[in-house]
Amino acid sequence: MRFLHTADWQIGMKAAHAGQAAAQVREERLASARRVVEAAREASAEFIVVAGDTFEDNGVERVLIQRVADILASFGGPVYIIPGNHDPFVPGSVWEHPAWKAAANVHVLVSEEPVEVPGGLLFPCPLREVHADRDPTAWVRVAGQTGIKIGLAHGSVEGIVLEEPDYPIPRDAAERAGLDYVALGHWHSTGTYPDGDGAVRLAYSGTHEQTKFGERDSGNALVVDISGPGAPPDVRPVRVGRLNWLIEEAELREAGDLVRLRSQVEAIPEPAATLVEVRLRGVLSADDEPELRHLEDILAARFLLGRLDASALVPSPADDVWLASLPAGVIRLAAERLRDMAQSAGPKAIPAPEVISRALLELYALSKEAAR
Amino acid sequence: MILRSIQVEGWRCFANPMKVGPFAEGLNILHAPNAQGKSTLFEALRRGFTDGHRVSGGGVEALRPWGRALPPTVVIEFAHGGIDYRLTKRFLDPLAKLERLEGTRYVALATGDEADEQVRSILACAPPGKGLAKVQHWGLAQILWAPQGELALEGLSSDAAAGVRASLGAQISSPDTDRLEERIEQAYLEIFTPGGKPRAGQNAAAPVVRLQAELATATQRLQGARSRQQEFEKATRRVENLCAMQKQAANDAEELRKVLEATRSQAQQYGDLVAQKELQEQRLRTAKAVFEGVERRLKAIKDARRDLAAVREEMAGRRRDLPLIVSEVEQREREAAAAEQVIEDLRKVRPRITKLENEAYAARELTSARQTAASLDERLKAVSELNAGLSALKRERAAVMAPDSDSMQAIRQAIKERDDARVRLDASLMTVEIVPAKALSVEVVAGERAGTTTIEPGRPFEVKGSPEVVLDIPSVGRLRARGPAGSGAGARRQRDAATEKLNRLTAPFGTTEANALEALQERARDLDQLIKEQRARLETWLTSEDEETLAGKRTAAQGLIERVLEEYPDWRAELPDPAALHAAAEETKQQFINQIEPAEAKWKSAQAALVDVGKKKAATEASLGDIEKRVIVLDGKLSELASDGKTDEQREAELTDAAIAARAAEGLAVETGGKLATFGDDPRQTVATLERQLAETQKAATDALRQAVHEEGQLQHISAQGPYSALVMAEEEVARLEDGLQRESLKAEAIKVLREVVQTVRNEVVEAVAAPVAKAASRMLQRVAGTSLGEVRVGETFEPVQVAPELAGGPVAIGQLSGGEKEQIHLVTRLALADVLAKDERHLVVFDDILTFTDAGRLARVLKLLEEAAQRLQVLVLTCHPERYRGLSSALFIDLLQCEEATAAA
């Protein structure tokens, strides 16, 4: 038996954190879904299992349901889906959409009863509410059943720290239930749980496309081979995600640091599929100000999302060069005053150090503008 | 800039050419009387330097001489930067020409607008807009030139202030600084209003404001999207709940149906038993009714027989008692008649008692009338004597004519007035006293007592008179003595008037002497007192009655005496004893009472016994009638009860049969009741309850299903809108706007902070720059006014704003000082500023008619300052009081009128 295990597509998810790239981030999740189907085909998977949270919410726009159903239908072979805690099987849920009936190869499993799949039996554990403390696999009884038996569930494997620790699933759920493999959804990172013999019978495929900054080991699907009942599954991750979510943190200490950072940023591959957030701290020299603008421009122009956080930067106390470039008298004295204020201001000072630094940069920019 | 000369033509009062100059480089006093054109010359100087030659309008038209169409023209010769220039400017026939002196002749340097501009640059003047230049366009002349009445320095324009600052060496302003400050201000005003509020408005709103507005709208949309999402989730739960409810209701209905079937079977059995029990109970009730009917009849027959026997016995008793009661009535009637006869016999004594009582009363009347008559006789006699005495006193009082108190007081006043008038007359009269050596005949021609009088030798003779005393003394001549006219005549009139008044008041009393009048008044008072006392005695005897009433009473008493004696003539001979007669009458009366009272008691007792026995007789007769009627009734009732035709034995047997039947029926009913008790509650009622429950449950299931279908429709409608996706879009929009707002707010705050810091630094620098000016002005002020006013403090544009007297405890605004102090402070501030400007080059300072409020002492000290200032500045004072400046030995005095004559001659 060979099948592809995927989960947590979270189609229609919020992407406010992606700023103006939010729509593209959402669209990319559909593109990744197509790559999942393509990967299944390439792996000659006999069927696909989707372990919940296909959609971010039951209230997503209906056209998304149709698009997802079309993508899954394009696989040709059987596809088995269970509702997860984000898209539970409730009245008005996405699963009532007629698209599922139209896609003959796509089976939305809403009952806790075994289903015959190519090469064995599938024990679905669909969810009917957003939060619950019950083990969704608890109902599974394989006594008297022959062939390869796999489970399809959505929940939190005990011991994993998750933001939404609903539906606890024991680490030995597969052994307890007598299943050869349990395909899990809910955790966005790919994760496998070998049993005492080293066989992986419990695994999270993780989300097929990374959802935010700081999320690790996501953007995969799992191709699972099981040679026969009781045989250890062969679990192989396949990369299907495309977006890179990068955080570049740098501390500026001297005049050339910013130039070096800019070079690093420019070297990031596939900027059009990359969301990058550059966080700066340390001191800013006057000569770096154009470089800072340049970096800002590069981030805005080249990347799917480029963000620059320079709020922790303060003007360099030792840098008198740009002060000297300002007209003598009131303006230069004011600049010196601002620099001193920025250096001495505490985090709760009024005006905030960030405002003072920005005032200094504005003065610098205006002086350049006035000079032209 | 140094002024060499100035020439005007066609300018207000100077229709013809008029030249003043050359001026000294030091102190110049240009003087002339009022309205001779000093201020006009000053105006021409200012307009020449500050106004464009092409200026037009009412302001410049007013410069023409009255009624003349001459173009106002001014020619100014001046030196600047070591070079001599000549400026020619003509208005309304525009001409501007700036020439430079080369050798001995002027060479054209600039003309037209260029000439205007070059001249303005000398004083750092800003070009005016439309119309004539105003103070703010004067540049440094704002400081250096003070027109008449405008010595006060109200704050310099930016050009002038910049000039001062530049001269002070402060790098506050420079083109770069100005541009940058301007750009900062511009950046600030793009975001904020001048008042510091974020700029609003449809087309010019600050990005922050625009983003806030967009964010508010987006937030509203987000709330709407959240609402729709919540609505979707609620609808989902509602449908879930309704489905669960419908399912539960259907299950409940099925259960109820089963229970209802079983209960209906029980209800059938229960109903049969209930019907059976009701039949048994009916039989029991019937048997009981028969038993009770027979039992009642038997008891009623027994009671009727007993009652009839008792009534018949009572009737026999009544019939026995009645004759005895009739006999007793007759006896009581006889006793009452005898008692009444005794009373009648006793009442025959009553007329004799009345006669005795009348006789005793008459005797009392007679005695009383006799006593009254005697008393009245005594009072009448006393009254008659007193009336005679009173009449004599009244006659005597009538003969005495005396003034009363008021009249006496008026008389005294008149006497006083007369005496006072006499004294005043005596005091006012001229008195001539002659003591002849030999007998002399003197004729008083004018005096108080006219006529001829012979005077004996050695005896003084006085003649009084007013206003003169004229005496003719034969062989001696006429002697005339005069005094003040008029005083004697007035006194005399007063005396005569007072005398006449006194005579009028005393005329009724026959004397004008006060003592006699007072004696008369005393006698009258004594008589009045005697009359009063006599009247009091008379009132005592009369006791509020008059004499006639007393006489009437006396007559009435006599009449009563006569009437009694007529009735009892024996009493004429011997008066009766009223007490004895009264005692005899009373004794007779008491005897009668002692006899009649027992007789009347006995009669009343007999009468009461008669009434009692009468009542007893009537009651006995009535009772007998009633008893006879009851016998008849009881006989009828007994006949009716026995009408069933049965014997008492037959009735007793019937009673026993009925009791046996009732006991049998009761046993069956109890047995059936036991069976019913095994059911507990009535199953028929349970059936009804269950049927209602079933109907309700079926209805609930139907309603839930219908509601679920309806809600599902709603849910489909909501879900079709993709509420979550809408929420996502709205949240992302809000996040984007919040991000933008944060960035713009940071920028706005930064610009605000930048502007504030620049302004703060600038103020600090300006304060530092202004300090030397304030210091110099303070030093000069102290020289003029002493140390009482303290230091002068100047504002940002160098205008004096305060002084700091030590005694005041704090700064004092210039406006609170006296007029003289104010003009001195403004003058020294101008001089201090002029000193600053004169650091590189001597400048012209003009004061037009200043120091009008300054006293002579301070003026002298001010002049000293002017003399000192003239060492560094060219000072031109325009005044109509040249004498005030004569002490200035170094000054050049220029008489404007002489200049005019000289110009005309030239």
Side-chain angles (χ1 to χ4, degrees):
Chain A
M1 176 191 285
R2 175 176 292 171
F3 63 92
L4 184 136
H5 166 196
T6 185
D8 296 290
W9 287 6
Q10 314 281 150
I11 299 298
M13 76 167 193
K14 293 175 188 172
H17 54 288
Q20 292 180 338
Q24 285 172 269
V25 166
R26 261 195 304 280
E27 191 61 31
E28 195 59 39
R29 302 190 78 74
L30 286 166
S32 293
R34 289 187 201 96
R35 287 193 288 277
V36 169
V37 171
E38 189 56 35
R41 271 203 211 98
E42 285 177 5
S44 302
E46 294 166 84
F47 60 93
I48 297 173
V49 292
V50 185
D53 284 0
T54 311
F55 296 92
E56 175 72 4
D57 191 275
N58 276 325
V60 297
E61 57 183 328
R62 302 291 101 167
V63 68
L64 288 176
I65 304 170
Q66 184 65 56
R67 291 175 74 182
V68 171
D70 290 347
I71 289 168
L72 291 172
S74 69
F75 174 59
V79 177
Y80 303 99
I81 312 176
I82 57 165
N85 69 318
H86 272 263
D87 50 7
F89 182 65
V90 291
S93 72
V94 291
W95 312 115
E96 292 180 352
H97 196 277
W100 305 115
K101 286 178 185 167
N105 62 320
V106 181
H107 307 283
V108 178
L109 307 176
V110 296
S111 301
E112 293 167 330
E113 53 191 35
V115 177
E116 283 190 23
V117 296
L121 277 176
L122 175 66
F123 290 81
C125 305
L127 301 188
R128 290 190 178 79
E129 52 192 325
V130 175
H131 303 292
D133 290 333
R134 65 179 179 82
D135 171 11
T137 65
W139 74 275
V140 179
R141 297 286 181 271
V142 300
Q145 305 288 357
T146 57
I148 298 169
K149 297 168 283 290
I150 58 174
L152 184 59
H154 191 90
S156 311
V157 171
E158 288 174 345
I160 296 176
V161 178
L162 287 173
E163 286 178 8
E164 300 174 54
D166 294 308
Y167 295 105
I169 296 172
R171 271 179 175 267
D172 58 353
E175 290 165 83
R176 281 191 194 184
L179 296 169
D180 294 298
Y181 181 81
V182 179
L184 293 178
H186 198 44
W187 197 18
H188 284 197
S189 301
T190 304
T192 54
Y193 299 88
D195 62 12
D197 300 330
V200 174
R201 298 188 186 281
L202 192 70
Y204 283 108
S205 63
T207 181
H208 68 319
E209 184 65 66
Q210 189 170 340
T211 58
K212 59 187 177 185
F213 289 109
E215 197 174 73
R216 63 175 184 80
D217 292 337
S218 53
N220 303 312
L222 298 177
V223 176
V224 182
D225 275 298
I226 304 174
S227 56
D234 176 24
V235 180
R236 178 166 54 88
V238 184
R239 179 74 186 166
V240 289
R242 191 173 85 92
L243 298 181
N244 299 311
W245 297 70
L246 300 176
I247 296 174
E248 292 285 340
E249 289 183 302
E251 181 168 2
L252 306 184
R253 293 197 179 86
E254 53 193 17
D257 285 351
L258 200 54
V259 178
R260 281 189 286 281
L261 176 65
R262 197 240 306 156
S263 301
Q264 284 175 30
V265 169
E266 284 182 311
I268 293 171
E270 292 187 80
T274 302
L275 298 95
V276 62
E277 186 170 301
V278 177
R279 298 173 185 171
L280 300 179
R281 60 182 189 281
V283 294
L284 181 70
S285 300
D287 291 344
D288 281 339
E289 203 277 342
E291 194 60 45
L292 195 65
R293 304 285 178 209
H294 189 193
L295 176 60
E296 206 166 23
D297 292 344
I298 288 169
L299 288 169
R302 296 185 189 171
F303 290 88
L304 177 58
L305 175 70
R307 232 182 232 146
L308 178 65
D309 180 5
S311 61
L313 280 179
V314 294
S316 171
D319 184 12
D320 289 334
V321 177
W322 81 284
L323 288 180
S325 70
L326 292 169
V330 171
I331 294 295
R332 197 181 295 171
L333 289 170
E336 286 171 0
R337 178 80 53 93
L338 284 169
R339 186 188 61 181
D340 295 345
M341 285 166 69
Q343 296 295 334
S344 60
K348 291 183 180 174
I350 297 174
E354 181 186 353
V355 174
I356 301 168
S357 300
R358 179 63 183 265
L360 208 49
L361 291 176
E362 289 293 337
L363 174 58
Y364 186 76
L366 289 171
S367 73
K368 295 291 178 196
E369 187 185 315
R372 285 197 292 272
Chain B
M1 191 273 281
I2 297 297
L3 180 65
R4 300 290 190 206
S5 70
I6 179 167
Q7 180 177 327
V8 294
E9 183 180 355
W11 200 297
R12 295 193 193 271
C13 60
F14 299 114
N16 298 317
M18 162 72 183
K19 183 175 181 180
V20 181
F23 292 97
E25 291 197 357
L27 189 53
N28 299 272
I29 310 297
L30 177 61
H31 60 91
N34 289 329
Q36 295 305 311
K38 297 186 298 296
S39 297
T40 301
L41 273 180
F42 186 18
E43 181 190 36
L45 177 68
R46 289 197 313 268
R47 300 238 168 268
F49 273 93
T50 59
D51 278 307
H53 67 289
R54 295 182 196 280
V55 67
S56 60
V60 74
E61 284 287 348
L63 299 179
R64 293 185 199 265
W66 288 349
R68 306 286 294 275
L70 298 172
T73 307
V74 59
V75 179
I76 304 165
E77 292 179 320
F78 64 96
H80 176 62
I83 300 170
D84 278 73
Y85 297 91
R86 183 169 66 191
L87 170 68
T88 304
K89 204 168 265 191
R90 190 170 66 214
F91 300 98
L92 300 173
D93 179 11
L95 169 72
K97 185 167 67 177
L98 181 64
E99 299 164 295
R100 187 170 62 195
L101 184 63
E102 292 182 0
T104 56
R105 66 186 187 90
Y106 283 104
V107 177
L109 189 63
T111 58
D113 294 340
E114 191 183 345
D116 287 343
E117 193 54 41
Q118 283 195 23
V119 169
R120 279 197 199 103
S121 69
I122 292 169
L123 290 174
C125 300
K130 205 173 179 183
L132 293 171
K134 297 182 177 62
V135 176
Q136 61 266 33
H137 304 121
W138 291 4
L140 297 178
Q142 283 177 75
I143 304 162
L144 300 170
W145 300 351
Q148 190 176 39
E150 296 177 29
L151 182 62
L153 197 55
E154 301 292 357
L156 302 182
S157 66
S158 57
D159 302 321
V164 175
R165 288 179 192 125
S167 297
L168 283 166
Q171 295 297 317
I172 296 176
S173 294
S174 70
D176 289 345
T177 306
D178 290 348
R179 266 198 301 279
L180 193 47
E181 277 194 64
E182 206 171 289
R183 184 64 194 93
I184 291 169
E185 189 66 15
Q186 190 184 345
Y188 176 81
L189 291 175
E190 282 168 6
I191 301 169
F192 298 100
T193 63
K197 291 180 179 172
R199 184 172 287 285
Q202 202 168 5
N203 299 320
V208 171
V209 174
R210 183 175 47 75
L211 284 168
Q212 279 172 338
E214 287 177 17
L215 180 59
T217 308
T219 304
Q220 213 167 3
R221 277 201 298 272
L222 175 59
Q223 284 167 351
R226 278 202 184 115
S227 261
R228 281 192 294 281
Q229 174 67 8
Q230 285 170 359
E231 198 182 334
F232 171 66
E233 289 167 358
K234 282 181 189 168
T236 298
R237 279 193 291 278
R238 277 201 303 273
V239 172
E240 272 188 308
N241 293 343
L242 286 166
C243 288
M245 281 169 59
Q246 190 273 332
K247 196 172 176 184
Q248 182 64 41
N251 291 339
D252 291 349
E254 187 55 38
E255 285 298 315
L256 278 172
R257 263 193 291 275
K258 288 175 188 168
V259 174
L260 184 58
E261 279 305 311
T263 310
R264 274 180 180 150
S265 170
Q266 286 182 342
Q268 181 62 44
Q269 294 171 25
Y270 188 86
D272 292 346
L273 284 172
V274 167
Q276 194 178 342
K277 187 165 180 279
E278 280 177 358
L279 185 62
Q280 289 161 349
E281 284 174 345
Q282 180 61 38
R283 285 175 185 156
L284 173 62
R285 281 195 295 275
T286 304
K288 278 185 176 174
V290 170
F291 176 83
E292 286 168 1
V294 174
E295 192 177 45
R296 263 198 312 277
R297 182 180 291 268
L298 279 171
K299 185 176 180 300
I301 290 171
K302 199 182 287 179
D303 291 346
R305 284 173 182 160
R306 187 190 63 233
D307 292 345
L308 188 59
V311 170
R312 279 182 174 155
E313 189 178 343
E314 190 181 354
M315 186 170 68
R318 293 283 187 277
R319 282 176 176 164
R320 277 194 305 274
D321 293 341
L322 190 58
L324 296 175
I325 294 169
V326 170
S327 172
E328 187 180 353
V329 168
E330 289 169 355
Q331 176 61 30
R332 293 296 180 196
E333 284 175 345
R334 282 193 298 274
E335 287 173 1
E340 192 175 5
Q341 186 57 50
V342 170
I343 291 170
E344 287 300 321
D345 291 344
L346 286 172
R347 282 177 179 163
K348 288 174 181 168
V349 183
R350 234 177 215 168
R352 188 168 160 260
I353 293 170
T354 305
K355 184 174 177 290
L356 286 172
E357 284 177 340
N358 289 342
E359 192 174 323
Y361 178 76
R364 264 198 320 272
E365 287 284 294
L366 179 64
T367 304
S368 174
R370 283 173 59 84
Q371 288 170 352
T372 301
S375 172
L376 287 170
D377 286 344
E378 185 187 3
R379 287 173 68 190
L380 284 169
K381 185 183 175 191
V383 166
S384 177
E385 287 170 0
L386 287 168
N387 273 335
L390 182 60
S391 298
L393 285 170
K394 283 182 178 174
R395 278 193 302 277
E396 188 178 354
R397 175 65 182 86
V400 177
M401 282 300 289
D404 57 16
S405 297
D406 293 342
S407 301
M408 195 60 210
Q409 193 175 356
I411 290 164
R412 283 197 195 97
Q413 181 67 29
I415 290 169
K416 184 176 181 297
E417 286 172 4
R418 185 200 60 189
D419 293 346
D420 289 348
R422 278 177 178 169
V423 170
R424 281 196 297 276
L425 180 60
D426 286 345
S428 64
L429 292 177
M430 299 281 300
T431 304
V432 175
E433 187 183 73
I434 301 169
V435 183
K438 59 180 182 179
L440 196 64
S441 175
V442 177
E443 184 186 359
V444 179
V445 179
E448 286 296 295
R449 287 179 295 181
T452 304
T453 305
T454 303
I455 314 168
E456 293 182 6
R459 188 172 179 180
F461 173 69
E462 279 186 0
V463 180
K464 293 176 182 287
S466 176
E468 61 180 4
V469 174
V470 181
L471 305 172
D472 276 345
I473 304 172
S475 72
V476 174
R478 175 166 285 196
L479 182 65
R480 184 186 298 268
R482 289 193 184 90
S487 60
R492 191 176 293 114
R493 278 195 301 277
Q494 287 174 0
R495 184 205 58 191
D496 293 345
T499 304
E500 186 186 347
K501 182 181 176 185
L502 179 61
N503 291 338
R504 190 174 68 247
L505 290 171
T506 57
F509 312 116
T511 179
T512 59
E513 289 302 316
N515 291 339
L517 288 166
E518 282 173 358
L520 279 173
Q521 192 184 21
E522 185 65 27
R523 177 60 188 154
R525 260 201 303 270
D526 291 345
L527 286 171
D528 287 342
Q529 183 61 30
L530 288 173
I531 290 168
K532 192 176 174 184
E533 289 169 2
Q534 191 73 359
R535 277 180 179 152
R537 283 194 290 275
L538 187 58
E539 287 298 321
T540 305
W541 281 107
L542 286 172
T543 58
S544 75
E545 291 175 318
D546 56 18
E547 193 177 355
E548 191 177 347
T549 306
L550 292 178
K553 285 183 177 179
R554 175 68 181 84
T555 305
Q558 188 60 40
L560 180 61
I561 292 167
E562 288 302 322
R563 277 198 307 277
V564 173
L565 290 179
E566 192 175 344
E567 192 174 348
Y568 300 98
D570 294 345
W571 292 352
R572 288 183 188 275
E574 185 182 357
L575 288 173
D577 181 356
L581 288 174
H582 178 70
E586 281 298 308
E587 186 182 355
T588 306
K589 187 177 176 183
Q590 191 58 45
Q591 285 174 354
F592 169 73
I593 291 167
N594 291 341
Q595 289 171 345
I596 200 155
E597 278 179 353
E600 283 178 346
K602 193 173 179 182
W603 178 79
K604 282 180 184 172
S605 174
Q607 202 60 28
L610 178 59
V611 170
D612 288 344
V613 75
K615 286 179 182 172
K616 187 177 175 184
K617 177 176 171 265
T620 303
E621 286 170 348
S623 173
L624 188 58
D626 289 342
I627 291 168
E628 286 169 351
K629 286 178 188 168
R630 282 164 62 194
V631 168
I632 293 166
V633 169
L634 286 170
D635 278 339
K637 186 178 177 183
L638 193 56
S639 299
E640 188 183 341
L641 289 170
S643 63
D644 57 355
K646 294 176 184 172
T647 64
D648 285 349
E649 289 74 18
Q650 286 172 327
R651 291 185 189 111
E652 288 292 342
E654 190 181 359
L655 186 66
T656 303
D657 292 343
I660 291 167
R663 272 197 297 274
E666 190 174 15
L668 289 171
V670 168
E671 185 185 343
T672 307
K675 290 177 185 173
L676 284 170
T678 59
F679 285 88
D681 292 337
D682 187 347
R684 293 169 303 178
Q685 292 177 358
T686 308
V687 166
T689 305
L690 287 170
E691 282 173 343
R692 282 197 301 275
Q693 281 183 353
L694 179 60
E696 286 297 320
T697 308
Q698 286 172 332
K699 184 172 180 300
T702 309
D703 288 349
L705 184 60
R706 192 167 48 244
Q707 187 69 14
V709 169
H710 174 73
E711 289 288 349
E712 269 190 89
Q714 293 284 327
L715 183 60
Q716 292 301 329
H717 175 70
I718 298 168
S719 67
Q721 297 169 9
Y724 186 79
S725 294
L727 177 63
V728 165
M729 301 300 283
E731 277 191 8
E732 286 170 2
E733 175 70 0
V734 166
R736 186 182 65 75
L737 289 169
E738 282 176 342
D739 187 46
L741 182 59
Q742 192 182 359
R743 275 189 278 110
E744 287 300 333
S745 296
L746 176 63
K747 182 180 178 184
E749 281 300 303
I751 293 288
K752 194 174 184 180
V753 167
L754 173 61
R755 178 175 178 267
E756 284 171 358
V757 169
V758 168
Q759 281 186 343
T760 304
V761 170
R762 193 167 178 280
N763 289 341
E764 290 170 2
V765 172
V766 165
E767 199 173 326
V769 168
V773 174
K775 194 173 176 184
S778 301
R779 200 168 51 243
M780 284 190 270
L781 181 63
Q782 285 174 12
R783 289 181 63 193
V784 172
T787 56
S788 61
L789 290 174
E791 291 186 346
V792 178
R793 294 184 180 174
V794 299
E796 189 183 339
T797 50
F798 301 104
E799 74 282 11
V801 290
Q802 293 172 330
V803 289
E806 283 181 11
L807 294 177
V812 176
I814 299 295
Q816 295 179 2
L817 301 176
S818 71
E821 287 170 332
K822 274 192 269 193
E823 67 180 9
Q824 289 149 26
I825 289 167
H826 285 291
L827 175 71
V828 297
T829 307
R830 282 182 183 271
L831 288 174
L833 288 167
D835 271 345
V836 170
L837 295 172
K839 199 178 284 181
D840 300 322
E841 186 184 3
R842 183 177 283 260
H843 274 290
L844 168 65
V845 178
V846 184
F847 296 122
D848 185 1
D849 202 12
I850 60 168
L851 303 173
T852 51
F853 296 101
T854 300
D855 61 42
R858 292 192 180 184
L859 179 63
R861 291 193 280 274
V862 170
L863 296 183
K864 204 168 184 180
L865 287 180
L866 288 178
E867 262 189 323
E868 289 176 11
Q871 294 174 5
R872 305 178 297 278
L873 302 162
Q874 182 188 34
V875 180
L876 173 57
V877 177
L878 311 179
T879 181
C880 55
H881 295 289
E883 70 282 359
R884 300 179 76 183
Y885 299 90
R886 289 295 177 195
L888 295 171
S889 56
S890 61
L892 172 64
F893 285 80
I894 303 170
D895 187 338
L896 187 61
L897 296 178
Q898 287 179 3
C899 291
E900 198 168 1
E901 287 168 9
T903 308

